[in-house]
Amino acid sequence: MGDPDGDLLQRAYAGDEGAFIDLYERHRRPLFRFVYRMLGSVPVAEDVTHECFLVLLTHRGRFDPSRASLRTFLCAVGRNLSLKQLRKRGVETLVDELPESVDREPGLSAAPLARLIEGERSTAVQEAVASLPPLQREVLILFEYEEQSLADIAQIVEADLGTVKARLHRARERLRRTLSPFMSQTTVPLRRVERMA
Amino acid sequence: MRPPARTPDDDATRDPELARLLEEWTVPALPDTLDRRMLASFRARSPRASLWRRFFTTSLHIPLPVALAALLLLALAFWMPRGKSVPPLESSEPLSGPRTAQFDHKPPMPDSLSGFEPVREMNVTVLPSDAQ
């Protein structure tokens, strides 16, 4: 079998603990990162990541290697479980677009330079991504952070390619508006570097 | 069919400035407990897991109402007073004598079956009771 994941998975199904550990270590971090960025909580992301691998172990027929990679499959399971968690919190997960809330935008009124000095840019980005509607957020995280292809993302979120592109475009537009003060701060040194070069 | 890997067209839509800013958000380290939980789950489900290990690690999910009802039934069965023993039935009709058949003289049992020959033809004769 040419696919290393497929080979490891078959051995894991046969009870090979080493093969399962290899497989788990290949995918645990990306899956945990994705789920954490969707939900913003380490304990919940841990539970969801654990559950994703349990689905892989217990529902053997659900993963079809001819249709998608194991990474895509696990992300799809993680995505569905994350949306379930969000629904439990009362978050609307079915609509593409939500009205932008001024309250949730990270400190636009505060001086961006002050926040930069305090090292809060990370928090600002986190809040800005968290303020995206879930359907835009998942696409943005998978593309920008997990570097998945648009076609893979379309499989994971069960949408067509055009929908994925539209959601990604809207997410970026929204983030540019939300983070514009921070973006202007970051671009200055870059332009200087370009001029120097 | 599997979709192709990331293409240059995918990256063409990328905004490098925004991407750099997004990288500011880092994810905390994986909790150690996840590895332990995962390994325990694998071992519990592994076909190579020994019976005693599966016996001690397998869990059953019982709905709370069912569990409570079972406990209640158990408690009732334990605390319920034992029923009185049933007295022997007394018949109104007096017994008219012994009704059991009894052999006065047991037929002698041979020590061995040597010389025994089964009958070739059996004739059964029914005698009336007063013929004795």
Side-chain angles (χ1 to χ4, degrees):
Chain A
M1 195 182 291
D3 180 14
D5 280 342
D7 184 35
L8 288 172
L9 190 59
Q10 289 311 314
R11 283 166 49 202
Y13 282 158
D16 185 341
E17 190 173 301
F20 174 73
I21 291 172
D22 283 353
L23 194 75
Y24 166 68
E25 287 183 344
R26 281 164 71 96
H27 297 286
R28 63 178 178 175
R29 272 181 216 289
L31 184 60
F32 176 78
R33 279 198 310 258
F34 168 57
V35 175
Y36 171 77
R37 284 193 165 112
M38 282 296 291
L39 300 171
S41 157
V42 171
V44 181
E46 180 188 339
D47 286 346
V48 170
T49 306
H50 179 239
E51 207 171 331
C52 288
F53 281 99
L54 284 188
V55 167
L56 183 68
L57 285 176
T58 50
H59 298 84
R60 297 187 179 192
R62 278 182 65 179
F63 169 57
D64 180 1
S66 65
R67 287 185 59 209
S69 67
L70 186 59
R71 175 74 51 88
T72 304
F73 172 78
L74 287 170
C75 280
V77 177
R79 180 246 182 188
N80 290 334
L81 294 173
S82 297
L83 293 184
K84 199 172 157 187
Q85 287 287 332
L86 290 172
R87 281 194 291 273
K88 273 188 196 169
R89 298 178 195 172
V91 176
E92 176 59 68
T93 58
L94 295 176
V95 293
D96 254 349
E97 192 70 70
L98 293 171
E100 289 187 43
S101 161
V102 177
D103 295 340
R104 297 192 66 180
E105 290 181 2
L108 289 186
S109 55
L113 186 60
R115 292 195 65 170
L116 180 64
I117 292 168
E118 289 168 18
E120 290 183 0
R121 249 189 346 187
S122 169
T123 310
V125 172
Q126 183 176 354
E127 288 174 358
V129 174
S131 72
L132 292 172
L135 295 182
Q136 290 180 22
R137 193 189 317 162
E138 63 188 12
V139 169
L140 181 108
I141 292 170
L142 288 168
F143 189 86
E144 297 289 351
Y145 289 106
E146 298 309 321
E147 302 193 333
Q148 296 271 351
S149 70
L150 291 174
D152 276 337
I153 296 172
Q155 271 203 330
I156 292 168
V157 304
E158 296 168 341
D160 59 76
L161 205 58
T163 306
V164 170
K165 285 180 180 172
R167 285 177 188 167
L168 186 59
H169 177 75
R170 285 201 293 271
R172 284 176 174 149
E173 285 300 309
R174 199 162 171 147
L175 286 180
R176 276 192 205 99
R177 282 197 300 275
T178 311
L179 297 169
S180 56
F182 298 100
M183 288 178 75
S184 62
Q185 292 291 325
T186 57
T187 53
V188 172
L190 288 170
R191 283 177 187 155
R192 277 185 196 152
V193 169
E194 283 167 9
R195 273 204 299 272
M196 286 168 71
Chain B
M1 192 171 163
R2 275 196 200 187
R6 198 154 175 164
T7 62
D9 284 350
D10 290 352
D11 288 324
T13 63
R14 208 163 190 192
D15 178 346
E17 192 182 354
L18 181 64
R20 270 194 294 274
L21 184 59
L22 290 176
E23 282 171 16
E24 298 279 339
W25 179 23
T26 54
V27 172
L30 265 166
D32 294 337
T33 46
L34 178 60
D35 292 356
R36 285 197 293 274
R37 288 171 66 189
M38 205 65 252
L39 202 57
S41 299
F42 174 78
R43 285 176 179 164
R45 284 160 181 78
S46 170
R48 286 184 193 172
S50 56
L51 274 177
W52 66 267
R53 178 182 279 168
R54 275 193 262 176
F55 179 77
F56 284 109
T57 53
T58 302
S59 59
L60 281 175
H61 296 275
I62 302 173
L64 188 62
V66 175
L68 287 176
L71 278 176
L72 193 68
L73 281 174
L74 208 64
L76 280 175
F78 185 77
W79 289 107
M80 206 161 62
R82 305 274 178 217
K84 287 178 184 175
S85 58
V86 181
L89 288 173
E90 288 179 14
S91 175
S92 56
E93 294 177 18
L95 291 174
S96 59
R99 292 186 180 185
T100 54
Q102 188 177 335
F103 284 107
D104 291 336
H105 303 287
K106 287 183 182 176
M109 293 293 289
D111 293 336
S112 70
L113 292 177
S114 60
F116 172 73
E117 285 184 13
V119 292
R120 292 191 180 170
E121 194 177 340
M122 182 180 283
N123 292 321
V124 178
T125 307
V126 179
L127 296 173
S129 59
D130 55 351
Q132 295 174 348

